[in-house]
PDB file of all heavy atoms in Angstrom:
ATOM      1  N   ARG A   3      89.119  99.073  91.786  1.00  0.00           N
ATOM      2  CA  ARG A   3      88.868 100.456  92.132  1.00  0.00           C
ATOM      3  C   ARG A   3      90.118 101.247  91.808  1.00  0.00           C
ATOM      4  O   ARG A   3      91.184 100.696  91.759  1.00  0.00           O
ATOM      5  CB  ARG A   3      88.604 100.565  93.637  1.00  0.00           C
ATOM      6  CG  ARG A   3      87.247 100.119  94.050  1.00  0.00           C
ATOM      7  CD  ARG A   3      87.145 100.231  95.542  1.00  0.00           C
ATOM      8  NE  ARG A   3      88.088  99.374  96.213  1.00  0.00           N
ATOM      9  CZ  ARG A   3      87.838  98.107  96.536  1.00  0.00           C
ATOM     10  NH1 ARG A   3      86.720  97.562  96.245  1.00  0.00           N
ATOM     11  NH2 ARG A   3      88.738  97.386  97.160  1.00  0.00           N
ATOM     12  N   PRO A   4      90.107 102.560  91.748  1.00  0.00           N
ATOM     13  CA  PRO A   4      88.902 103.363  91.791  1.00  0.00           C
ATOM     14  C   PRO A   4      88.485 103.742  90.380  1.00  0.00           C
ATOM     15  O   PRO A   4      89.224 104.367  89.671  1.00  0.00           O
ATOM     16  CB  PRO A   4      89.335 104.599  92.581  1.00  0.00           C
ATOM     17  CG  PRO A   4      90.811 104.715  92.264  1.00  0.00           C
ATOM     18  CD  PRO A   4      91.313 103.351  91.856  1.00  0.00           C
ATOM     19  N   ARG A  55      95.672 116.183  92.516  1.00  0.00           N
ATOM     20  CA  ARG A  55      95.364 115.006  91.685  1.00  0.00           C
ATOM     21  C   ARG A  55      93.884 114.600  91.751  1.00  0.00           C
ATOM     22  O   ARG A  55      93.312 114.190  90.750  1.00  0.00           O
ATOM     23  CB  ARG A  55      96.234 113.837  92.118  1.00  0.00           C
ATOM     24  CG  ARG A  55      97.693 114.039  91.697  1.00  0.00           C
ATOM     25  CD  ARG A  55      98.610 113.086  92.414  1.00  0.00           C
ATOM     26  NE  ARG A  55      99.960 113.172  91.908  1.00  0.00           N
ATOM     27  CZ  ARG A  55     100.917 113.937  92.455  1.00  0.00           C
ATOM     28  NH1 ARG A  55     100.658 114.679  93.521  1.00  0.00           N
ATOM     29  NH2 ARG A  55     102.137 113.956  91.939  1.00  0.00           N
ATOM     30  N   PHE A  56      93.290 114.687  92.947  1.00  0.00           N
ATOM     31  CA  PHE A  56      91.947 114.112  93.112  1.00  0.00           C
ATOM     32  C   PHE A  56      90.823 115.130  92.908  1.00  0.00           C
ATOM     33  O   PHE A  56      89.701 114.743  92.601  1.00  0.00           O
ATOM     34  CB  PHE A  56      91.814 113.454  94.497  1.00  0.00           C
ATOM     35  CG  PHE A  56      92.877 112.413  94.773  1.00  0.00           C
ATOM     36  CD1 PHE A  56      93.408 112.250  96.043  1.00  0.00           C
ATOM     37  CD2 PHE A  56      93.349 111.588  93.757  1.00  0.00           C
ATOM     38  CE1 PHE A  56      94.391 111.290  96.294  1.00  0.00           C
ATOM     39  CE2 PHE A  56      94.325 110.627  93.999  1.00  0.00           C
ATOM     40  CZ  PHE A  56      94.854 110.480  95.267  1.00  0.00           C
ATOM     41  N   GLU A  73      88.590 107.875  97.748  1.00  0.00           N
ATOM     42  CA  GLU A  73      89.770 108.557  98.290  1.00  0.00           C
ATOM     43  C   GLU A  73      89.492 109.113  99.683  1.00  0.00           C
ATOM     44  O   GLU A  73      90.380 109.109 100.541  1.00  0.00           O
ATOM     45  CB  GLU A  73      90.230 109.674  97.337  1.00  0.00           C
ATOM     46  CG  GLU A  73      90.777 109.176  96.005  1.00  0.00           C
ATOM     47  CD  GLU A  73      91.991 108.253  96.152  1.00  0.00           C
ATOM     48  OE1 GLU A  73      92.706 108.345  97.164  1.00  0.00           O
ATOM     49  OE2 GLU A  73      92.202 107.422  95.254  1.00  0.00           O
ATOM     50  N   TYR A  76      89.667 106.262 102.267  1.00  0.00           N
ATOM     51  CA  TYR A  76      91.028 105.871 102.670  1.00  0.00           C
ATOM     52  C   TYR A  76      91.566 106.772 103.777  1.00  0.00           C
ATOM     53  O   TYR A  76      92.379 106.342 104.592  1.00  0.00           O
ATOM     54  CB  TYR A  76      91.997 105.960 101.481  1.00  0.00           C
ATOM     55  CG  TYR A  76      91.603 105.149 100.273  1.00  0.00           C
ATOM     56  CD1 TYR A  76      91.888 105.615  98.989  1.00  0.00           C
ATOM     57  CD2 TYR A  76      90.950 103.929 100.398  1.00  0.00           C
ATOM     58  CE1 TYR A  76      91.529 104.883  97.866  1.00  0.00           C
ATOM     59  CE2 TYR A  76      90.584 103.205  99.280  1.00  0.00           C
ATOM     60  CZ  TYR A  76      90.871 103.688  98.019  1.00  0.00           C
ATOM     61  OH  TYR A  76      90.507 102.976  96.907  1.00  0.00           O
ATOM     62  N   ARG A  77      91.122 108.022 103.785  1.00  0.00           N
ATOM     63  CA  ARG A  77      91.679 108.987 104.739  1.00  0.00           C
ATOM     64  C   ARG A  77      90.822 109.178 105.976  1.00  0.00           C
ATOM     65  O   ARG A  77      91.328 109.477 107.043  1.00  0.00           O
ATOM     66  CB  ARG A  77      91.907 110.328 104.019  1.00  0.00           C
ATOM     67  CG  ARG A  77      93.074 110.196 103.045  1.00  0.00           C
ATOM     68  CD  ARG A  77      93.074 111.175 101.918  1.00  0.00           C
ATOM     69  NE  ARG A  77      94.250 110.932 101.078  1.00  0.00           N
ATOM     70  CZ  ARG A  77      94.259 110.068 100.042  1.00  0.00           C
ATOM     71  NH1 ARG A  77      93.163 109.401  99.706  1.00  0.00           N
ATOM     72  NH2 ARG A  77      95.368 109.865  99.351  1.00  0.00           N
ATOM     73  N   TYR A  83      87.956 100.623 105.259  1.00  0.00           N
ATOM     74  CA  TYR A  83      88.494 100.151 103.980  1.00  0.00           C
ATOM     75  C   TYR A  83      89.279  98.850 104.176  1.00  0.00           C
ATOM     76  O   TYR A  83      89.142  97.900 103.395  1.00  0.00           O
ATOM     77  CB  TYR A  83      89.394 101.216 103.319  1.00  0.00           C
ATOM     78  CG  TYR A  83      90.105 100.588 102.155  1.00  0.00           C
ATOM     79  CD1 TYR A  83      89.380 100.212 101.022  1.00  0.00           C
ATOM     80  CD2 TYR A  83      91.447 100.240 102.232  1.00  0.00           C
ATOM     81  CE1 TYR A  83      89.997  99.540  99.985  1.00  0.00           C
ATOM     82  CE2 TYR A  83      92.066  99.568 101.198  1.00  0.00           C
ATOM     83  CZ  TYR A  83      91.334  99.216 100.080  1.00  0.00           C
ATOM     84  OH  TYR A  83      91.930  98.524  99.059  1.00  0.00           O
ATOM     85  N   ALA A  87      89.086  95.259 102.170  1.00  0.00           N
ATOM     86  CA  ALA A  87      90.212  94.711 101.395  1.00  0.00           C
ATOM     87  C   ALA A  87      90.663  93.365 101.974  1.00  0.00           C
ATOM     88  O   ALA A  87      91.116  92.489 101.238  1.00  0.00           O
ATOM     89  CB  ALA A  87      91.372  95.707 101.394  1.00  0.00           C
ATOM     90  N   GLU A 109     106.026  98.334  94.789  1.00  0.00           N
ATOM     91  CA  GLU A 109     104.568  98.279  94.661  1.00  0.00           C
ATOM     92  C   GLU A 109     104.026  99.694  94.805  1.00  0.00           C
ATOM     93  O   GLU A 109     104.446 100.435  95.698  1.00  0.00           O
ATOM     94  CB  GLU A 109     103.944  97.383  95.747  1.00  0.00           C
ATOM     95  CG  GLU A 109     102.431  97.259  95.539  1.00  0.00           C
ATOM     96  CD  GLU A 109     101.662  96.628  96.699  1.00  0.00           C
ATOM     97  OE1 GLU A 109     102.282  96.235  97.707  1.00  0.00           O
ATOM     98  OE2 GLU A 109     100.429  96.568  96.577  1.00  0.00           O
ATOM     99  N   VAL A 110     103.083 100.056  93.943  1.00  0.00           N
ATOM    100  CA  VAL A 110     102.515 101.412  93.976  1.00  0.00           C
ATOM    101  C   VAL A 110     101.035 101.316  94.345  1.00  0.00           C
ATOM    102  O   VAL A 110     100.314 100.444  93.850  1.00  0.00           O
ATOM    103  CB  VAL A 110     102.678 102.128  92.619  1.00  0.00           C
ATOM    104  CG1 VAL A 110     102.301 103.601  92.761  1.00  0.00           C
ATOM    105  CG2 VAL A 110     104.103 101.996  92.101  1.00  0.00           C
ATOM    106  N   GLY A 111     100.590 102.218  95.215  1.00  0.00           N
ATOM    107  CA  GLY A 111      99.207 102.192  95.690  1.00  0.00           C
ATOM    108  C   GLY A 111      98.983 100.976  96.568  1.00  0.00           C
ATOM    109  O   GLY A 111      98.014 100.238  96.419  1.00  0.00           O
ATOM    110  N   ALA A 112      99.888 100.782  97.535  1.00  0.00           N
ATOM    111  CA  ALA A 112      99.914  99.534  98.318  1.00  0.00           C
ATOM    112  C   ALA A 112      98.744  99.413  99.290  1.00  0.00           C
ATOM    113  O   ALA A 112      98.417  98.316  99.741  1.00  0.00           O
ATOM    114  CB  ALA A 112     101.234  99.435  99.079  1.00  0.00           C
ATOM    115  N   GLY A 113      98.108 100.544  99.631  1.00  0.00           N
ATOM    116  CA  GLY A 113      96.969 100.489 100.535  1.00  0.00           C
ATOM    117  C   GLY A 113      97.362  99.923 101.886  1.00  0.00           C
ATOM    118  O   GLY A 113      98.402 100.268 102.464  1.00  0.00           O
ATOM    119  N   THR A 114      96.539  99.004 102.383  1.00  0.00           N
ATOM    120  CA  THR A 114      96.821  98.391 103.681  1.00  0.00           C
ATOM    121  C   THR A 114      97.496  97.033 103.510  1.00  0.00           C
ATOM    122  O   THR A 114      97.565  96.260 104.463  1.00  0.00           O
ATOM    123  CB  THR A 114      95.531  98.240 104.513  1.00  0.00           C
ATOM    124  OG1 THR A 114      94.586  97.444 103.772  1.00  0.00           O
ATOM    125  CG2 THR A 114      94.905  99.593 104.815  1.00  0.00           C
ATOM    126  N   GLY A 115      97.969  96.737 102.279  1.00  0.00           N
ATOM    127  CA  GLY A 115      98.869  95.607 102.134  1.00  0.00           C
ATOM    128  C   GLY A 115      98.290  94.299 101.632  1.00  0.00           C
ATOM    129  O   GLY A 115      98.927  93.260 101.777  1.00  0.00           O
ATOM    130  N   ARG A 116      97.121  94.351 100.999  1.00  0.00           N
ATOM    131  CA  ARG A 116      96.555  93.095 100.477  1.00  0.00           C
ATOM    132  C   ARG A 116      97.593  92.338  99.638  1.00  0.00           C
ATOM    133  O   ARG A 116      97.785  91.132  99.805  1.00  0.00           O
ATOM    134  CB  ARG A 116      95.314  93.397  99.647  1.00  0.00           C
ATOM    135  CG  ARG A 116      94.801  92.211  98.862  1.00  0.00           C
ATOM    136  CD  ARG A 116      93.461  92.447  98.212  1.00  0.00           C
ATOM    137  NE  ARG A 116      93.192  93.820  97.791  1.00  0.00           N
ATOM    138  CZ  ARG A 116      91.967  94.290  97.543  1.00  0.00           C
ATOM    139  NH1 ARG A 116      90.924  93.499  97.681  1.00  0.00           N
ATOM    140  NH2 ARG A 116      91.794  95.542  97.145  1.00  0.00           N
ATOM    141  N   LEU A 117      98.274  93.051  98.742  1.00  0.00           N
ATOM    142  CA  LEU A 117      99.315  92.410  97.938  1.00  0.00           C
ATOM    143  C   LEU A 117     100.669  92.452  98.657  1.00  0.00           C
ATOM    144  O   LEU A 117     101.431  91.481  98.615  1.00  0.00           O
ATOM    145  CB  LEU A 117      99.423  93.100  96.578  1.00  0.00           C
ATOM    146  CG  LEU A 117     100.554  92.588  95.679  1.00  0.00           C
ATOM    147  CD1 LEU A 117     100.318  91.135  95.268  1.00  0.00           C
ATOM    148  CD2 LEU A 117     100.717  93.466  94.449  1.00  0.00           C
ATOM    149  N   GLU A 132     102.583 104.433  98.942  1.00  0.00           N
ATOM    150  CA  GLU A 132     101.161 104.654  99.201  1.00  0.00           C
ATOM    151  C   GLU A 132     100.944 106.114  99.578  1.00  0.00           C
ATOM    152  O   GLU A 132     101.581 106.612 100.513  1.00  0.00           O
ATOM    153  CB  GLU A 132     100.694 103.733 100.345  1.00  0.00           C
ATOM    154  CG  GLU A 132      99.325 104.051 100.919  1.00  0.00           C
ATOM    155  CD  GLU A 132      98.218 104.140  99.878  1.00  0.00           C
ATOM    156  OE1 GLU A 132      98.099 103.241  99.025  1.00  0.00           O
ATOM    157  OE2 GLU A 132      97.467 105.145  99.911  1.00  0.00           O
ATOM    158  N   PRO A 133     100.059 106.822  98.839  1.00  0.00           N
ATOM    159  CA  PRO A 133      99.865 108.241  99.156  1.00  0.00           C
ATOM    160  C   PRO A 133      99.090 108.517 100.446  1.00  0.00           C
ATOM    161  O   PRO A 133      99.362 109.517 101.109  1.00  0.00           O
ATOM    162  CB  PRO A 133      99.099 108.781  97.935  1.00  0.00           C
ATOM    163  CG  PRO A 133      98.503 107.603  97.264  1.00  0.00           C
ATOM    164  CD  PRO A 133      99.352 106.418  97.617  1.00  0.00           C
ATOM    165  N   ALA A 134      98.142 107.659 100.804  1.00  0.00           N
ATOM    166  CA  ALA A 134      97.259 107.985 101.942  1.00  0.00           C
ATOM    167  C   ALA A 134      97.942 107.627 103.267  1.00  0.00           C
ATOM    168  O   ALA A 134      98.166 106.449 103.551  1.00  0.00           O
ATOM    169  CB  ALA A 134      95.927 107.251 101.808  1.00  0.00           C
ATOM    170  N   LEU A 137      96.436 104.881 105.493  1.00  0.00           N
ATOM    171  CA  LEU A 137      96.642 103.506 105.007  1.00  0.00           C
ATOM    172  C   LEU A 137      98.081 103.068 105.260  1.00  0.00           C
ATOM    173  O   LEU A 137      98.338 101.907 105.608  1.00  0.00           O
ATOM    174  CB  LEU A 137      96.295 103.391 103.520  1.00  0.00           C
ATOM    175  CG  LEU A 137      94.866 103.759 103.111  1.00  0.00           C
ATOM    176  CD1 LEU A 137      94.626 103.404 101.638  1.00  0.00           C
ATOM    177  CD2 LEU A 137      93.822 103.069 103.985  1.00  0.00           C
ATOM    178  N   GLY A 159     104.006 108.503  98.094  1.00  0.00           N
ATOM    179  CA  GLY A 159     104.286 108.801  96.685  1.00  0.00           C
ATOM    180  C   GLY A 159     103.058 108.545  95.824  1.00  0.00           C
ATOM    181  O   GLY A 159     102.057 107.991  96.293  1.00  0.00           O
ATOM    182  N   PHE A 160     103.172 108.976  94.576  1.00  0.00           N
ATOM    183  CA  PHE A 160     102.075 108.855  93.611  1.00  0.00           C
ATOM    184  C   PHE A 160     102.593 108.197  92.331  1.00  0.00           C
ATOM    185  O   PHE A 160     103.779 108.322  91.996  1.00  0.00           O
ATOM    186  CB  PHE A 160     101.538 110.253  93.246  1.00  0.00           C
ATOM    187  CG  PHE A 160     100.933 110.989  94.410  1.00  0.00           C
ATOM    188  CD1 PHE A 160     101.718 111.820  95.204  1.00  0.00           C
ATOM    189  CD2 PHE A 160      99.591 110.847  94.720  1.00  0.00           C
ATOM    190  CE1 PHE A 160     101.164 112.509  96.272  1.00  0.00           C
ATOM    191  CE2 PHE A 160      99.028 111.525  95.797  1.00  0.00           C
ATOM    192  CZ  PHE A 160      99.818 112.358  96.574  1.00  0.00           C
ATOM    193  N   PHE A 161     101.692 107.587  91.590  1.00  0.00           N
ATOM    194  CA  PHE A 161     102.076 106.942  90.326  1.00  0.00           C
ATOM    195  C   PHE A 161     102.898 107.877  89.441  1.00  0.00           C
ATOM    196  O   PHE A 161     103.890 107.459  88.847  1.00  0.00           O
ATOM    197  CB  PHE A 161     100.830 106.529  89.534  1.00  0.00           C
ATOM    198  CG  PHE A 161     100.188 105.252  89.993  1.00  0.00           C
ATOM    199  CD1 PHE A 161      98.948 105.254  90.631  1.00  0.00           C
ATOM    200  CD2 PHE A 161     100.813 104.024  89.775  1.00  0.00           C
ATOM    201  CE1 PHE A 161      98.362 104.072  91.046  1.00  0.00           C
ATOM    202  CE2 PHE A 161     100.229 102.838  90.185  1.00  0.00           C
ATOM    203  CZ  PHE A 161      98.998 102.869  90.823  1.00  0.00           C
ATOM    204  N   ASP A 162     102.439 109.112  89.332  1.00  0.00           N
ATOM    205  CA  ASP A 162     103.049 110.013  88.333  1.00  0.00           C
ATOM    206  C   ASP A 162     104.308 110.693  88.844  1.00  0.00           C
ATOM    207  O   ASP A 162     104.900 111.512  88.137  1.00  0.00           O
ATOM    208  CB  ASP A 162     102.023 111.052  87.861  1.00  0.00           C
ATOM    209  CG  ASP A 162     101.491 111.904  89.002  1.00  0.00           C
ATOM    210  OD1 ASP A 162     101.759 111.573  90.176  1.00  0.00           O
ATOM    211  OD2 ASP A 162     100.800 112.901  88.719  1.00  0.00           O
ATOM    212  N   CYS A 177      98.121  96.885  92.540  1.00  0.00           N
ATOM    213  CA  CYS A 177      96.931  96.025  92.658  1.00  0.00           C
ATOM    214  C   CYS A 177      95.724  96.904  92.936  1.00  0.00           C
ATOM    215  O   CYS A 177      95.698  97.612  93.958  1.00  0.00           O
ATOM    216  CB  CYS A 177      97.140  95.030  93.802  1.00  0.00           C
ATOM    217  SG  CYS A 177      95.694  94.014  94.125  1.00  0.00           S
ATOM    218  N   SER A 178      94.755  96.865  92.051  1.00  0.00           N
ATOM    219  CA  SER A 178      93.498  97.585  92.264  1.00  0.00           C
ATOM    220  C   SER A 178      93.736  99.065  92.537  1.00  0.00           C
ATOM    221  O   SER A 178      93.052  99.656  93.375  1.00  0.00           O
ATOM    222  CB  SER A 178      92.733  96.953  93.437  1.00  0.00           C
ATOM    223  OG  SER A 178      91.491  97.565  93.622  1.00  0.00           O
ATOM    224  N   ALA A 179      94.703  99.645  91.862  1.00  0.00           N
ATOM    225  CA  ALA A 179      95.041 101.034  92.175  1.00  0.00           C
ATOM    226  C   ALA A 179      95.199 101.897  90.919  1.00  0.00           C
ATOM    227  O   ALA A 179      94.795 103.055  90.916  1.00  0.00           O
ATOM    228  CB  ALA A 179      96.329 101.080  93.001  1.00  0.00           C
ATOM    229  N   GLY A 185      94.868 111.405  87.646  1.00  0.00           N
ATOM    230  CA  GLY A 185      95.034 111.452  89.106  1.00  0.00           C
ATOM    231  C   GLY A 185      95.320 110.104  89.729  1.00  0.00           C
ATOM    232  O   GLY A 185      95.755 110.023  90.883  1.00  0.00           O
ATOM    233  N   HIS A 186      95.076 109.045  88.979  1.00  0.00           N
ATOM    234  CA  HIS A 186      95.260 107.688  89.510  1.00  0.00           C
ATOM    235  C   HIS A 186      96.202 106.866  88.642  1.00  0.00           C
ATOM    236  O   HIS A 186      96.088 105.643  88.582  1.00  0.00           O
ATOM    237  CB  HIS A 186      93.900 106.989  89.656  1.00  0.00           C
ATOM    238  CG  HIS A 186      93.020 107.651  90.660  1.00  0.00           C
ATOM    239  ND1 HIS A 186      92.131 108.639  90.335  1.00  0.00           N
ATOM    240  CD2 HIS A 186      92.928 107.500  92.003  1.00  0.00           C
ATOM    241  CE1 HIS A 186      91.526 109.067  91.428  1.00  0.00           C
ATOM    242  NE2 HIS A 186      91.991 108.393  92.451  1.00  0.00           N
ATOM    243  N   GLY A 187      97.087 107.543  87.956  1.00  0.00           N
ATOM    244  CA  GLY A 187      98.057 106.834  87.120  1.00  0.00           C
ATOM    245  C   GLY A 187      98.177 107.504  85.773  1.00  0.00           C
ATOM    246  O   GLY A 187      98.992 108.388  85.561  1.00  0.00           O
TER     247      GLY A 187
HETATM  248  C1  SAM B 301      91.472 100.110  96.041  1.00  0.00           C
HETATM  249  S1  SAM B 301      92.909 100.636  96.868  1.00  0.00           S
HETATM  250  C2  SAM B 301      93.984  99.240  96.635  1.00  0.00           C
HETATM  251  C3  SAM B 301      95.039  99.140  97.701  1.00  0.00           C
HETATM  252  C4  SAM B 301      95.878  97.899  97.651  1.00  0.00           C
HETATM  253  N1  SAM B 301      96.741  97.871  96.483  1.00  0.00           N
HETATM  254  C5  SAM B 301      95.011  96.664  97.672  1.00  0.00           C
HETATM  255  O1  SAM B 301      94.941  95.935  96.680  1.00  0.00           O
HETATM  256  O2  SAM B 301      94.353  96.448  98.690  1.00  0.00           O
HETATM  257  C6  SAM B 301      93.576 101.865  95.762  1.00  0.00           C
HETATM  258  C7  SAM B 301      94.875 102.429  96.274  1.00  0.00           C
HETATM  259  O3  SAM B 301      95.449 103.298  95.305  1.00  0.00           O
HETATM  260  C8  SAM B 301      96.001 104.400  95.979  1.00  0.00           C
HETATM  261  N2  SAM B 301      96.113 105.525  95.036  1.00  0.00           N
HETATM  262  C9  SAM B 301      95.144 106.334  94.588  1.00  0.00           C
HETATM  263  N3  SAM B 301      95.643 107.262  93.757  1.00  0.00           N
HETATM  264  C10 SAM B 301      96.962 107.034  93.673  1.00  0.00           C
HETATM  265  C11 SAM B 301      98.020 107.671  92.978  1.00  0.00           C
HETATM  266  N4  SAM B 301      97.824 108.724  92.176  1.00  0.00           N
HETATM  267  N5  SAM B 301      99.258 107.164  93.120  1.00  0.00           N
HETATM  268  C12 SAM B 301      99.475 106.073  93.890  1.00  0.00           C
HETATM  269  N6  SAM B 301      98.511 105.445  94.587  1.00  0.00           N
HETATM  270  C13 SAM B 301      97.268 105.911  94.478  1.00  0.00           C
HETATM  271  C14 SAM B 301      95.026 104.651  97.106  1.00  0.00           C
HETATM  272  O4  SAM B 301      95.560 105.481  98.103  1.00  0.00           O
HETATM  273  C15 SAM B 301      94.733 103.246  97.557  1.00  0.00           C
HETATM  274  O5  SAM B 301      95.651 102.781  98.475  1.00  0.00           O
END
Side-chain angles (χ1 to χ4, degrees):
R3 283 178 298 272
R55 288 165 173 95
F56 305 144
E73 293 300 335
Y76 304 146
R77 289 157 180 89
Y83 170 69
E109 184 192 359
V110 190
T114 58
R116 170 171 32 199
L117 176 65
E132 168 53 48
L137 301 188
F160 297 90
F161 280 110
D162 59 350
C177 175
S178 183
H186 295 91

